């Protein structure tokens, strides 16, 4: 039950490029037309992040600019989702598939992207994407649909450690989905509801199912929807604070912060300092993957 | 990720001998259980097996059965039966899978050896040096079979083992003798005990020697091989067969080193495994690490069958010393020094901690140890969450992503 995944673009005017679509549909596994040298200036690199909930595709050029992007539900056929995502992102970028130089896949379904040249974990890719916007030592927090991660990166862009949440939905997008459903509100309304809260409600439980029970008790007690919504976002932040020390600059990445930017405000309050949210945080994994595709080109030849 | 040209797991010639030894062990027990030709004692893995063997008991190790249930993934059929009978999903999943299999009247011995049921015990003997769960596990069977349960309560969390600790355990061992003599129907022969202790010492020394061959770069074998070849050290220590087996294996390992044969072709990283094996995923994990060109060269778990203290001249005190000096009995600072030494000896460049949901005693990541070791040694550490047997506590994708990301991190160093 995801209602809010979508957006995408940069160059919407290019949508509907028949050439791009045609070339893709006939392409099967490989996308590039062999024997055609793509000049550096025209070339693009692609990152495909097949997440548990959403598939994100980013197209970048040699200047590392995001030329096009697209997000769609991952569904049950990751290969199809990644193809569809690529098609749309290329469309948005106004670039035909023949100009793709290299593709890196990441995310839950990273091994199901038939046209990928390279596979990387989403931990590496979120780090890479965020470091591009903030090239300093930092702590990156990626909150995804199914899991969350805390990644420590040094001032040279190398990870010095990372942690993934334990096997529980608490502190992830899945938790917000489940609880929004329980509250009968559309997931996309949570953020604005939380901003209207007038008091703090603390959700104590460690577990999504128990939290849902707690919410029932709050509803019974007559608490406002706004206060409960804020309580939910606070609990996501709380789960993250429990994972690992958030040292230095904190950068937030992933779909949950993309759709609930108020979460950054809550985290800032808890930490007592500003946190960084890169542009289009939901695409940081795919963007990082595209950067790996660009940088890894030399290695491949060796 | 490409699947062609991946390294292949290399089999050992000695495996045929290993299979025979394990089959003999179980058939002997089955025969005795059916005919009464010998008394049978069930023993915890670091219980007084030497004493039991010296008194003529055939020794059966339920933990080994637990590992078989895990490795065959049948544990998942049985754990729920034990849960329903009042044994919590939060306690040792060796216990719950073993008890569950018993309640269902099944055993992996049937498929492996054509043996219908586990051998009925005449006595159950535990040592709490590993955990309290073994005690409750054995009492379950004590009630079921109506046979005596004897045990040793060992000190835990010990920084340095002292003569007081050893004297305490030695006294408990000696106090057990009259009851065992009564069940065995014969007096303890001290010469025989010395002989068995000498054989156990020899087995332990050889086990250490074979494990130490992994110090070679590249390593001739991996943790995943160790978990298979440790069988004789687990079920047959104190017998000449176990000694003979490790002599054969050692020769083969030395051959591999001479030939420069690597267990993991193109070995790029050498890792340490801390914690229990994830029995039901050994093959998958072995392949994953092989694909990533990583060799797990040493582990606390497999090292735990090294008992350097055995001394035939002083059997009771040395047994007490050996049983109480195992890793799990010690305090955190001791454990950290122990791991640090292995890291140096085996030239390890990353540490993996397995936090096993149902085995707190073998999960050493819960009191800040990975953080302390990382800081002190400057080595990356990773904690993976799983379990020894209960795969309900294991997330394939999470573990894979964590391990792949960890290896990416090692590559960036």
């Amino acid at each position: 039950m995801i209602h809010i995944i979508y957006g995408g673009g940069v160059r919407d005017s290019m949508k509907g490029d028949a050439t791009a679509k045609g070339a893709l549909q006939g392409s099967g596994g490989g996308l590039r037309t062999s024997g055609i040298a793509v000049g550096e200036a025209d070339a693009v690199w692609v990152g495909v992040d097949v997440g548990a909930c959403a598939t994100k595709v980013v197209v970048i050029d040699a200047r590392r600019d995001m030329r096009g992007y697209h997000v769609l539900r991952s569904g049950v056929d990751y290969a199809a989702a990644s193809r569809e995502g690529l098609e749309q992102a290329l469309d948005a970028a106004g670039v035909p598939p023949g100009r793709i130089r290299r593709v890196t896949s990441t995310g839950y379904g990273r091994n199901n992207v038939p046209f990928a040249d390279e596979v990387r974990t989403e931990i590496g890719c979120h780090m890479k994407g965020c470091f591009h916007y903030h090239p300093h030592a930092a702590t990156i927090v990626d909150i995804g649909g199914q899991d969350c991660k805390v990644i420590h990166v040094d001032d040279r862009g190398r990870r010095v450690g990372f942690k993934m949440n334990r096997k529980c939905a608490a502190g992830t997008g899945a938790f917000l989905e489940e609880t929004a459903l329980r509250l009968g509100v559309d997931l996309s309304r949570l953020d604005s509801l939380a901003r209207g809260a007038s008091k703090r409600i603390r959700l104590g439980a460690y577990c999504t199912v128990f939290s849902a029970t707690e919410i029932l008790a709050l509803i019974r007690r007559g608490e406002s929807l706004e206060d409960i919504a804020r309580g939910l976002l606070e609990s996501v932040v709380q789960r993250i604070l429990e994972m690992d020390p958030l040292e230095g600059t904190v950068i937030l990445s992933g779909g949950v912060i993309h759709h609930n930017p108020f979460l950054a405000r809550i985290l800032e309050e808890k930490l007592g300092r500003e946190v960084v949210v890169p542009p289009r945080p939901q695409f940081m994994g795919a963007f990082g993957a595209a950067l790996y595709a660009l940088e890894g080109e030399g290695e491949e030849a060796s | 990720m490409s699947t062609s040209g991946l390294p292949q797991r290399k089999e050992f010639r000695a495996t045929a001998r290993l299979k025979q030894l394990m089959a003999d062990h179980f058939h002997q027990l089955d025969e005795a259980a059916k005919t009464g030709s010998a008394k049978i004692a069930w023993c915890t893995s670091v219980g007084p097996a030497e004493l039991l063997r010296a008194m003529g008991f055939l020794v059966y190790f339920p933990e080994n059965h637990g590992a078989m249930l895990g490795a065959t993934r049948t544990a998942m059929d049985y754990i729920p039966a034990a849960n329903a009978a009042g044994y919590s999903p939060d306690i040792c999943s060796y216990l719950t899978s073993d008890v569950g299999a018993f309640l269902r009247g099944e055993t992996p011995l049937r498929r492996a050896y054509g043996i219908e049921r586990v051998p009925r015990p005449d006595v159950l003997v535990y040592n709490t040096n590993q955990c309290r769960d073994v005690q409750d596990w054995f009492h379950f069977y004590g009630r079921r079979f109506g046979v005596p349960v004897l045990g040793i309560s060992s000190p835990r969390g010990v920084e340095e083992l002292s003569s007081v600790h050893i004297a305490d355990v030695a006294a408990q061992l000696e106090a057990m003798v009259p009851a065992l003599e009564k069940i065995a129907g014969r007096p303890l022969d001290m010469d025989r005990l010395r002989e068995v202790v000498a054989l156990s010492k020899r087995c332990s020394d050889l086990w250490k020697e074979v494990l130490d061959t992994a110090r070679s770069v590249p390593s001739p074998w991996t943790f995943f091989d160790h978990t298979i070849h440790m069988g004789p050290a687990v079920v047959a220590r104190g017998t000449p067969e176990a000694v003979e087996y490790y002599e054969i294996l050692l020769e083969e390992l030395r051959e591999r080193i001479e030939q420069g044969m690597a267990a993991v072709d193109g070995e790029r990283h050498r890792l340490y495994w801390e914690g229990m094996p994830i029995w039901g995923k050994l093959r998958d994990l072995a392949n994953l690490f092989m694909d990533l060109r990583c060799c797990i060269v040493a582990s606390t778990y497999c090292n735990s069958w090294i008992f350097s203290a055995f001394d035939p001249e002083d059997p009771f005190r040395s047994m007490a010393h050996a049983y109480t000096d195992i890793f799990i009995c010690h305090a955190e600072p001791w454990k950290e020094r122990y791991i640090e030494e292995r890291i140096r000896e085996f030239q390890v460049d990353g540490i993996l901690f397995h936090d096993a949901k149902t085995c707190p005693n073998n999960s050493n990541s819960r009191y800040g140890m990975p953080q302390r070791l990382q800081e002190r040694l400057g080595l990356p550490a990773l904690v993976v969450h799983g379990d020894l047997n209960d795969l309900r506590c294991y997330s394939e994708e999470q573990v894979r992503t964590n391990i792949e990301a960890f290896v990416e991190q090692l590559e960036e160093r």
Side-chain angles (χ1 to χ4, degrees):
Chain A
M1 286 281 289
I2 299 187
H3 312 286
I4 48 163
I5 297 190
Y6 315 149
V10 172
R11 289 183 56 183
D12 289 344
S13 60
M14 296 303 288
K15 272 191 177 159
D17 182 331
T19 336
K21 277 184 183 165
L24 269 169
Q25 276 154 5
S27 65
L31 279 171
R32 283 142 304 259
T33 320
S34 60
I36 298 175
V38 177
E40 193 76 12
D42 305 325
V44 292
W45 289 263
V46 174
V48 182
D49 177 2
V50 184
C53 298
T55 291
K56 287 79 63 176
V57 180
V58 165
V59 177
I60 63 167
D61 59 23
R63 292 188 316 265
R64 297 167 186 248
D65 287 336
M66 234 191 247
R67 293 281 299 273
Y69 57 89
H70 190 76
V71 57
L72 72 164
R73 289 178 68 157
S74 295
V76 292
D77 185 345
Y78 292 166
S82 54
R83 274 209 188 87
E84 165 75 11
L86 176 66
E87 203 173 294
Q88 297 291 338
L90 285 173
D91 236 17
V95 170
R99 280 167 52 190
I100 298 172
R101 279 271 280 264
R102 203 154 176 273
V103 180
T104 298
S105 65
T106 188
Y108 240 49
R110 61 189 177 278
N111 291 313
N112 299 90
V113 179
F115 51 88
D117 298 292
E118 179 199 34
V119 178
R120 291 270 177 173
T121 67
E122 52 272 37
I123 291 158
C125 290
H126 278 279
M127 179 194 74
K128 189 88 182 160
C130 290
F131 191 78
H132 173 84
Y133 288 106
H134 185 273
H136 309 284
T139 300
I140 295 156
V141 179
D142 164 45
I143 313 171
Q146 200 82 332
D147 56 37
C148 51
K149 309 162 193 88
V150 176
I151 310 154
H152 301 282
V153 58
D154 69 10
D155 53 9
R156 290 167 60 189
R158 298 174 306 186
R159 87 198 78 169
V160 286
F162 66 89
K163 251 191 200 168
M164 254 170 112
N165 64 318
R166 295 163 62 158
K167 295 172 295 292
C168 176
T172 72
F175 165 76
L176 294 177
E177 269 183 59
E178 163 69 24
T179 46
L181 187 71
R182 194 59 64 106
L183 289 173
V185 303
D186 193 278
L187 196 52
S188 60
R189 281 185 62 215
L190 267 191
D191 194 72
S192 55
L193 277 172
R195 287 171 196 267
S198 57
K199 71 172 186 201
R200 296 287 168 81
I201 287 178
R202 200 183 162 87
L203 287 166
Y206 204 68
C207 149
T208 303
V209 175
F210 286 176
S211 296
T213 315
E214 265 188 288
I215 290 165
L216 292 180
L218 295 172
I219 295 169
R220 231 175 17 234
R221 223 164 66 193
E223 300 292 354
S224 79
L225 212 52
E226 288 81 1
D227 293 343
I228 298 175
R230 185 186 163 111
L232 291 177
L233 295 185
E234 289 231 13
S235 98
V236 169
V237 168
Q238 195 51 43
R239 297 288 87 82
I240 287 152
L241 290 170
E242 289 157 3
M243 278 175 69
D244 217 30
L246 302 186
E247 289 151 349
T249 307
V250 174
I251 307 174
L252 283 169
S253 177
V256 169
I257 184 68
H258 196 114
H259 298 292
N260 301 280
F262 187 54
L263 213 119
R265 292 269 298 281
I266 296 174
L267 183 59
E268 281 174 343
E269 270 178 37
K270 299 245 182 209
L271 291 173
R273 59 184 196 271
E274 273 188 33
V275 305
V276 176
V277 181
R280 303 179 197 100
Q282 186 171 22
F283 293 90
M284 274 309 103
F287 178 55
L291 291 173
Y292 272 123
L294 173 67
E295 289 176 11
E297 215 164 30
E299 287 170 24
E300 185 134 289
S302 62
Chain B
M1 195 172 287
S2 130
T3 49
S4 60
L6 290 177
Q8 293 295 310
R9 209 166 164 184
K10 292 160 192 165
E11 290 304 328
F12 282 83
R13 288 195 310 272
T15 308
R17 181 75 198 92
L18 171 74
K19 284 183 178 159
Q20 190 58 50
L21 187 151
M22 297 306 282
D24 291 347
H25 165 74
F26 289 112
H27 283 301
Q28 216 182 359
L29 281 161
D30 188 43
E31 173 72 15
K34 284 175 177 158
T35 64
S37 58
K39 299 279 187 187
I40 293 169
W42 287 18
C43 185
T44 53
S45 61
V46 193
E50 286 67 24
L51 183 60
L52 296 167
R53 260 191 231 294
M55 299 182 84
F57 289 100
L58 290 181
V59 188
Y60 168 81
F61 297 90
E63 281 152 90
N64 170 246
H65 194 248
M68 285 180 78
L69 290 160
T72 54
R73 287 182 290 279
T74 51
M76 298 318 297
D77 300 333
Y78 306 134
I79 292 171
N83 295 158
Y87 287 87
S88 162
D90 292 332
I91 65 165
C92 170
S93 62
Y94 269 175
L95 184 164
T96 50
S97 35
D98 190 64
V99 164
F102 182 84
L103 292 171
R104 297 265 303 266
E106 290 169 19
T107 169
L109 297 176
R110 183 177 299 153
R111 200 158 163 219
Y113 306 109
I115 292 169
E116 288 303 311
R117 55 184 62 84
V118 293
R120 189 184 195 284
D122 294 290
V123 63
L124 299 130
V125 185
Y126 65 83
N127 185 344
T128 61
N129 50 0
Q130 300 167 95
C131 60
R132 63 156 284 175
D133 296 58
V134 292
Q135 184 173 358
D136 298 283
W137 186 355
F138 277 33
H139 276 294
F140 168 85
Y141 288 112
R143 289 188 295 272
R144 280 284 168 151
F145 290 114
V147 298
V149 182
L150 307 175
I152 298 161
S153 297
S154 288
R156 301 286 313 274
V158 178
E159 180 49 33
E160 285 303 337
L161 205 58
S162 75
S163 56
V164 177
H165 297 120
I166 296 171
D168 166 20
V169 175
Q172 293 187 58
L173 280 165
E174 289 188 78
M176 198 179 264
V177 173
L180 287 173
E181 284 177 330
K182 211 171 134 195
I183 299 161
R186 65 164 91 165
L188 170 66
D189 174 349
M190 281 304 286
D191 288 335
R192 175 71 186 132
L193 180 60
R194 286 192 188 93
E195 204 178 295
V196 175
V197 170
L199 283 166
S200 276
K201 166 76 170 150
R202 182 76 190 121
C203 174
S204 156
D205 289 349
L206 279 162
W207 177 238
K208 180 176 187 322
E209 236 178 305
V210 293
L211 287 177
D212 278 351
T213 61
R215 294 188 195 192
S216 292
V217 182
S219 171
W221 65 335
T222 78
F223 166 65
F224 301 103
D225 301 314
H226 306 164
T227 58
I228 295 166
H229 292 274
M230 72 191 286
V234 173
V235 305
R237 70 173 209 259
T239 71
E241 289 79 12
V243 171
E244 184 210 17
Y245 179 70
Y246 289 116
E247 282 166 350
I248 294 169
L249 183 64
L250 182 59
E251 203 174 313
E252 191 173 347
L253 283 161
R254 283 180 175 156
E255 248 175 58
R256 282 189 173 201
I257 294 171
E258 271 169 37
Q259 294 163 359
M261 189 200 277
V264 174
D265 284 325
E267 176 190 292
R268 288 172 66 88
H269 300 290
R270 297 165 63 83
L271 307 176
Y272 186 87
W273 182 277
E274 163 43 51
M276 291 296 291
I278 303 168
W279 288 109
K281 292 289 167 185
L282 282 185
R283 184 168 291 274
D284 292 352
L285 288 171
N287 290 336
L288 173 63
F289 282 106
M290 203 171 282
D291 293 353
L292 295 167
R293 314 265 168 189
C294 291
C295 185
I296 301 180
V297 289
S299 67
T300 309
Y301 179 73
C302 292
N303 283 0
S304 296
W305 275 264
I306 298 171
F307 307 105
S308 308
F310 281 135
D311 177 6
E313 296 306 311
D314 190 1
F316 277 103
R317 278 184 55 86
S318 76
M319 284 190 292
H321 189 168
Y323 303 155
T324 318
D325 205 16
I326 55 176
F327 183 91
I328 202 169
C329 284
H330 282 285
E332 297 271 295
W334 189 99
K335 289 178 176 175
E336 287 172 31
R337 281 200 304 279
Y338 179 92
I339 293 173
E340 249 182 281
E341 282 166 27
R342 304 292 88 74
I343 299 291
R344 268 199 302 275
E345 287 170 357
F346 288 85
Q347 301 180 56
V348 165
D349 42 29
I351 313 171
L352 295 163
F353 284 85
H354 171 210
D355 188 325
K357 177 81 168 78
T358 73
C359 189
N361 299 289
N362 272 308
S363 297
N364 287 295
S365 57
R366 298 185 181 182
Y367 297 84
M369 193 191 290
Q371 286 80 355
R372 287 193 297 276
L373 283 178
Q374 267 184 121
E375 195 166 320
R376 203 155 66 233
L377 304 177
L379 279 187
L382 174 72
V383 181
V384 293
H385 295 272
D387 193 53
L388 48 158
N389 271 18
D390 193 342
L391 295 178
R392 295 175 300 187
C393 308
Y394 181 81
S395 160
E396 187 90 51
E397 189 47 41
Q398 279 223 356
V399 169
R400 172 176 277 273
T401 299
N402 268 294
I403 291 170
E404 286 183 8
F406 186 65
V407 175
E408 286 175 354
Q409 182 182 342
L410 291 173
E411 298 279 322
E412 282 165 17
R413 279 163 68 84

